Amino acid sequence: MLFKTVRELVDLAEKERKKISHIMIEQEMEVTKKSREEIIERMEKNLQVMENSVQRGLKGVTSRTGLTGGDAVRLQKYIEEGNFLSGEIVLDAVSKAMATNEVNAAMGMICATPTAGSAGVVPGTLFAVKEKLNPTREQMIEYLFTAGAFGFVVANNASISGASGGCQAEIGSASGMAAAAIVEMAGGTPSQSAEAMAITLKNMLGLVCDPVAGLVEVPCVKRNAMGAANAMVGADMALAGIQSRIPCDEVIAAMFKVGQMMPSALRETAQGGLAVTPTGKKYEREIFGNPQRK
């Protein structure tokens, strides 16, 4: 294995003067024993699934429960009207992140990045910055490998599971992964990618997982939206030369410890947070009748 930590990843990329995405491809080759072509072909398929889910979501989908759907379209219309207050690329990323997760809620095909519940952040940001950076298809695939490199570190040193570490482990990780990938695509250094990951993740520490009615809909779709916005801002901060005072690996370790301290009611059990608000319980009764869960 070429790297286990962000520090090892960055050091290797800087020493060999390679992109983080290229180091990740080499790691995949070593771990899976597959050829570079096979690994890139598989990621190309993931990219196509992401593209399809964004496009489907932007046409408008609604979940069977009716809890989610149509917000990605609403935001695109708002952007077109030109009266928005935040940046157009940020809002586009938000819309495309929601589009992906609305498709997930509607039982459509998505690519887990790193989970289904957080699947909107990486493609949402990718297809938004694509409009400004005009990457080649190869660079878009590299974007996913860069995100994957940071996700690999989190998965092997902390957690990417809401049931284990709360939503910080899902949306938080996805946002950090996206921020790091944005930086590389924009021409930033490996160190700047690590700073983007650290800045983004540490601002999502403590985020609970409290799905209403136990479904990956509310507040999951809008958390992907805000995760995408967080990733965009974190990437810009890193590209501006801003550094995280706490190193990336220590931020990841802190996230893991926070998750361990989090009560089970706030870790995907739908027994706390928004899931047990009066409205949250009302939706649960409407969807499932009279549930046994209290």
Side-chain angles (χ1 to χ4, degrees):
M1 193 172 292
L2 301 179
F3 66 90
K4 291 183 179 179
T5 67
V6 171
R7 182 70 269 163
E8 291 173 351
L9 172 62
V10 171
D11 285 348
L12 191 59
E14 291 178 341
K15 179 183 177 181
E16 299 190 8
R17 296 185 178 182
K18 293 178 180 178
K19 293 180 178 180
I20 283 175
S21 54
H22 293 176
I23 299 295
M24 186 58 187
I25 291 171
E26 291 172 8
Q27 173 122 312
E28 283 291 292
M29 291 171 63
E30 182 173 304
V31 171
T32 66
K33 307 304 179 186
K34 295 183 182 297
S35 68
R36 177 181 294 269
E37 291 72 24
E38 288 175 308
I39 289 166
I40 291 175
E41 181 183 359
R42 185 174 180 181
M43 190 63 88
E44 160 66 32
K45 291 178 180 178
N46 292 336
L47 177 59
Q48 190 59 57
V49 169
M50 292 179 182
E51 189 166 28
N52 292 344
S53 63
V54 168
Q55 291 174 350
R56 181 184 169 191
L58 290 178
K59 292 178 182 176
V61 293
T62 303
S63 68
R64 285 188 181 180
T65 65
L67 283 178
T68 55
D71 286 337
V73 175
R74 289 184 187 93
L75 191 53
Q76 284 294 331
K77 289 180 179 177
Y78 176 72
I79 295 170
E80 291 170 8
E81 290 168 0
N83 297 319
F84 50 85
L85 301 177
S86 50
E88 184 171 355
I89 295 178
V90 171
L91 290 180
D92 193 39
V94 167
S95 172
K96 288 171 179 173
M98 286 196 294
T100 301
N101 276 83
E102 287 178 338
V103 167
N104 180 54
M107 307 301 288
M109 182 179 290
I110 50 89
C111 180
T113 46
T115 66
S118 61
V121 180
V122 170
T125 52
L126 169 57
F127 287 101
V129 297
K130 175 178 180 284
E131 303 302 319
K132 182 177 179 68
L133 299 178
N134 298 310
T136 62
R137 195 72 175 177
E138 179 183 1
Q139 289 171 321
M140 293 174 72
I141 292 170
E142 288 176 348
Y143 184 103
L144 300 183
F145 277 112
T146 303
F150 285 87
F152 173 87
V153 172
V154 175
N156 284 279
N157 292 280
S159 173
I160 56 170
S161 163
S164 174
C167 200
Q168 57 163 9
E170 295 201 21
I171 300 295
S173 297
S175 299
M177 291 161 57
I182 294 167
V183 167
E184 180 172 292
M185 180 175 277
T189 66
S191 290
Q192 286 177 323
S193 282
E195 298 294 351
M197 170 73 174
I199 290 168
T200 304
L201 180 57
K202 73 182 183 181
N203 282 290
M204 302 191 85
L205 291 184
L207 184 60
V208 303
C209 184
D210 51 352
V212 170
L215 302 171
V216 188
E217 296 193 51
V218 178
C220 316
V221 173
K222 294 182 181 69
R223 283 201 178 140
N224 275 265
M226 300 309 293
N230 199 24
M232 296 292 297
V233 174
D236 265 334
M237 290 174 71
L239 287 166
I242 296 171
Q243 297 179 320
S244 170
R245 295 300 183 189
I246 307 299
C248 190
D249 286 311
E250 292 183 32
V251 175
I252 293 170
M255 185 267 281
F256 180 58
K257 290 179 181 178
V258 169
Q260 288 182 312
M261 290 186 282
M262 203 176 279
S264 62
L266 301 177
R267 286 187 279 124
E268 209 171 344
T269 58
Q271 294 176 347
L274 298 176
V276 296
T277 59
T279 300
K281 298 302 288 184
K282 176 176 73 74
Y283 285 136
E284 184 179 32
R285 289 192 299 271
E286 290 174 354
I287 294 167
F288 296 114
N290 219 353
Q292 295 299 313
R293 183 171 57 231
K294 297 181 179 179

